[in-house]
Amino acid sequence: MKSAVLTILLLSLAKEALAFSSISSSSSSLSLRASSPLLAIANNDDNDDSATTLSRRDLLTQTISLTATAAATATLSLSPLTATADDTSSTSTVVVAGATGQTGRRVLERLASQPNTSVIAAVRNTDKASKSLSESSTVVRGAMIQKVPSLDAAGIELKKLDVASDSTEAITGVLSGAESLVIAVGFVPGNPLKMNAAAHEVDNVGTCKLIDAAKAAGVKKVVLVSSILTNGRAWGQEKSPGFQITNAFGNVLDEKLVAENYLKSSGLDYTIVRPGGLKAKPPSGGLVISGEDTLNSGEISRDLVADVCVASLTDGKASNKVLEIIEAEEGGPKVFNGLNM
């Protein structure tokens, strides 16, 4: 009982640390402020020509384009995706690993609504997943209490996949025939005495097995959901509240970094999405996307994380990039790069 209470307390502290620790890099913070031209160019609701209104569903049909800044901070703009003849005549298969998690199921929902897309939910237990995906409930995962919305699983194929216990060969069979893979796996904090082993098994070794299997199966694109501050030690953030408290959970940031680097060196086309502190509520601020190793604080709705993951699957400009994402501060600008969210 005491260990569970301790873990819940650590989870709360980690979320607060990511949400409220100050951003130390002045160059990267420029892209987050209302005074930044990237955020202010369309801050006028009366001018229809200067802003395009997007719903989260609309975002699924958008592409990402990179804009380099003088401070080496990358930001993303969104533009309509133009369909080609190939887009409408072929079906693309996407596998989502970690499909029953809060972020994974949101990715599933968005992919399932797209035309010419075959979606495979890779889960540890297909019977339980079939039931849980179709129900709205409050569940306890380790020391975390989560509100889980229902999902229309019609048209989604369920396949068994356990990154901890399955061999690379078995995982390769699950991924066979897929063009793309979204990796949304992560260990569930529980017993503090076992967190190090669990994080190593899932966020490091298990994720690397997925990457090996993707190569063997001929997968063309991999999107990996990671975290801001994963590489915090490299840019002087190892003593920041966000890094210290988050990494207290099984050294999870260090474990994720191993998998990130493994993916980068794999030869696969990749996008690594590093969100800030995750929240289940709908977005309350504009989407802010920054370059690699620039953000050390902030929160973001899992809805926006899923949107970015899905958009990254098909946009060549997100190819082989690390995208760090948070929401604009509450009360701050509600637009990002000229587009209402």
Side-chain angles (χ1 to χ4, degrees):
M1 180 65 180
K2 290 182 179 179
S3 65
V5 172
L6 174 61
T7 306
I8 292 173
L9 178 60
L10 284 172
L11 282 167
S12 300
L13 289 172
K15 182 177 180 181
E16 294 300 318
L18 285 173
F20 299 113
S21 62
S22 62
I23 297 179
S24 60
S25 172
S26 60
S27 63
S28 63
S29 66
L30 291 175
S31 65
L32 308 181
R33 300 291 178 253
S35 59
S36 167
L38 289 177
L39 288 171
I41 57 175
N43 201 7
N44 182 353
D45 293 337
D46 295 328
N47 188 346
D48 291 337
D49 293 331
S50 63
T52 303
T53 302
L54 296 177
S55 67
R56 294 197 306 274
R57 183 173 296 275
D58 292 333
L59 184 58
L60 300 182
T61 61
Q62 304 304 300
T63 61
I64 300 174
S65 59
L66 287 171
T67 304
T69 67
T73 295
T75 58
L76 298 180
S77 61
L78 303 174
S79 58
L81 178 66
T82 303
T84 65
D86 288 341
D87 294 330
T88 58
S89 62
S90 62
T91 297
S92 175
T93 299
V94 184
V95 177
V96 180
T100 56
Q102 289 208 66
T103 300
R105 66 193 294 135
R106 285 167 169 82
V107 173
L108 277 183
E109 179 182 31
R110 285 149 177 76
L111 290 172
S113 68
Q114 289 193 325
N116 306 308
T117 302
S118 175
V119 187
I120 296 174
V123 298
R124 287 181 296 174
N125 186 307
T126 55
D127 291 335
K128 288 183 178 179
S130 179
K131 186 170 185 281
S132 66
L133 288 173
S134 62
E135 294 178 348
S136 176
S137 61
T138 299
V139 298
V140 178
R141 302 182 71 228
M144 298 185 292
I145 300 175
Q146 303 175 341
K147 290 184 178 180
V148 179
S150 61
L151 169 67
D152 183 3
I156 296 175
E157 182 181 359
L158 299 178
K159 288 189 176 182
K160 181 186 178 302
L161 186 151
D162 188 331
V163 297
S165 62
D166 289 351
S167 66
T168 302
E169 291 73 19
I171 298 173
T172 300
V174 175
L175 303 183
S176 179
E179 284 77 29
S180 305
L181 168 66
V182 178
I183 303 176
V185 300
F187 94 103
V188 178
N191 186 336
L193 300 178
K194 297 181 178 180
M195 285 197 295
N196 283 27
H200 178 73
E201 185 177 55
V202 175
D203 295 86
N204 180 340
V205 176
T207 302
C208 290
K209 280 197 290 185
L210 276 167
I211 295 165
D212 283 338
K215 287 187 67 175
V219 170
K220 304 301 182 186
K221 175 76 182 190
V222 175
V223 174
L224 172 63
V225 182
S226 187
S227 173
I228 62 170
L229 287 171
T230 300
N231 196 33
R233 298 186 191 277
W235 58 293
Q237 296 300 310
E238 65 271 18
K239 295 187 183 300
S240 70
F243 183 91
Q244 288 193 327
I245 297 177
T246 304
N247 212 40
F249 294 94
N251 295 317
V252 66
L253 294 176
D254 295 325
E255 302 292 358
K256 286 180 178 294
L257 180 60
V258 174
E260 283 191 8
N261 289 335
Y262 197 73
L263 177 58
K264 288 179 179 179
S265 64
S266 68
L268 291 165
D269 182 4
Y270 70 85
T271 301
I272 297 171
V273 179
R274 291 180 177 172
L278 296 167
K279 58 182 183 179
K281 296 180 180 179
S284 58
L287 173 64
V288 176
I289 307 183
S290 192
E292 184 172 2
D293 297 340
T294 56
L295 300 179
N296 71 355
S297 65
E299 287 186 302
I300 186 166
S301 169
R302 292 179 188 270
D303 292 340
L304 288 179
V305 178
D307 290 338
V308 172
C309 287
V310 172
S312 297
L313 285 171
T314 55
D315 190 347
K317 297 181 184 65
S319 176
N320 299 328
K321 296 295 189 300
V322 176
L323 312 178
E324 298 193 347
I325 58 176
I326 58 173
E327 285 182 46
E329 296 175 3
E330 186 175 355
K334 300 302 181 186
V335 296
F336 171 71
N337 209 22
L339 299 178
N340 289 317
M341 297 298 297

